Amino acid sequence: EYPELLPAATRDIRAAVNATAAAIPGALLHDGFMERARRQPDAAAIIAPDARIDYGTLLGSAAAIAHWLQAQ
């Protein structure tokens, strides 16, 4: 019904590049973070030009925010 706007070779390349289907893990998004924080609390979670935050500190901050939100 619609004319092809891209050449077949271009469509094939795009299809190959976009073929990124993968199984969705059974774990929740934050589970990997929590596991890493438990195993390596001193490992760098965030590295910025003027700061370094380890997983333990980040987990503590996240927990404090979560508790504050639950209290609201």
Side-chain angles (χ1 to χ4, degrees), residues 19-72:
T20 58
I24 297 173
L28 298 174
L29 179 62
H30 67 282
D31 287 342
F33 168 80
M34 298 291 288
E35 175 62 20
R36 180 74 181 263
R38 184 188 65 75
R39 283 187 295 113
Q40 296 177 305
D42 296 327
I46 299 173
I47 300 173
D50 59 343
R52 178 190 178 278
I53 301 174
D54 60 51
Y55 277 93
T57 301
L58 188 57
L59 179 59
S61 297
I65 292 169
H67 289 113
W68 179 82
L69 288 171
Q70 288 173 344
Q72 299 306 306

